[in-house]
Amino acid sequence: TVHMISKVLKEYVPKLSNHGFLRIHQSHFINLNYVRSHSKGDHVVTMSDGSQVSVSRQNKDDFVREMAKRSM
């Protein structure tokens, strides 16, 4: 589902982080519960609906860390 918002994403980081969301790119938040797979080589996340989202180099380490927590 796509939601249009009029605020900058950084305002939502504290609110959404506690609910399974992670900012993976300047313009993308994802719900980690809906990640189907991710490619380490090109830093692309495939969501449960088949959509693909790029993970920025800046957010890659946070994403990998969060996914590792979920696979334990």
Side-chain angles (χ1 to χ4, degrees):
T1 303
V2 176
H3 295 281
M4 299 298 292
I5 55 175
S6 60
K7 296 181 181 182
V8 293
L9 283 178
K10 71 180 179 181
E11 293 181 35
Y12 292 94
V13 171
K15 296 174 185 176
L16 294 175
S17 296
N18 295 329
H19 298 283
F21 286 84
L22 182 70
R23 188 171 189 174
I24 62 166
H25 197 276
Q26 182 178 356
S27 58
H28 299 294
F29 263 106
I30 61 168
N31 185 327
L32 295 170
N33 295 315
Y34 292 93
V35 172
R36 183 187 319 159
S37 64
H38 65 283
S39 170
K40 295 177 184 175
D42 54 3
H43 309 297
V44 173
V45 176
T46 302
M47 304 302 292
S48 61
D49 67 354
S51 62
Q52 294 186 323
V53 185
S54 296
V55 180
S56 71
R57 283 178 274 154
Q58 178 180 346
N59 294 308
K60 178 184 64 99
D61 291 340
D62 289 339
F63 174 74
V64 171
R65 186 173 33 256
E66 288 298 319
M67 291 307 294
K69 285 182 192 177
R70 291 171 176 273
S71 66
M72 294 180 169

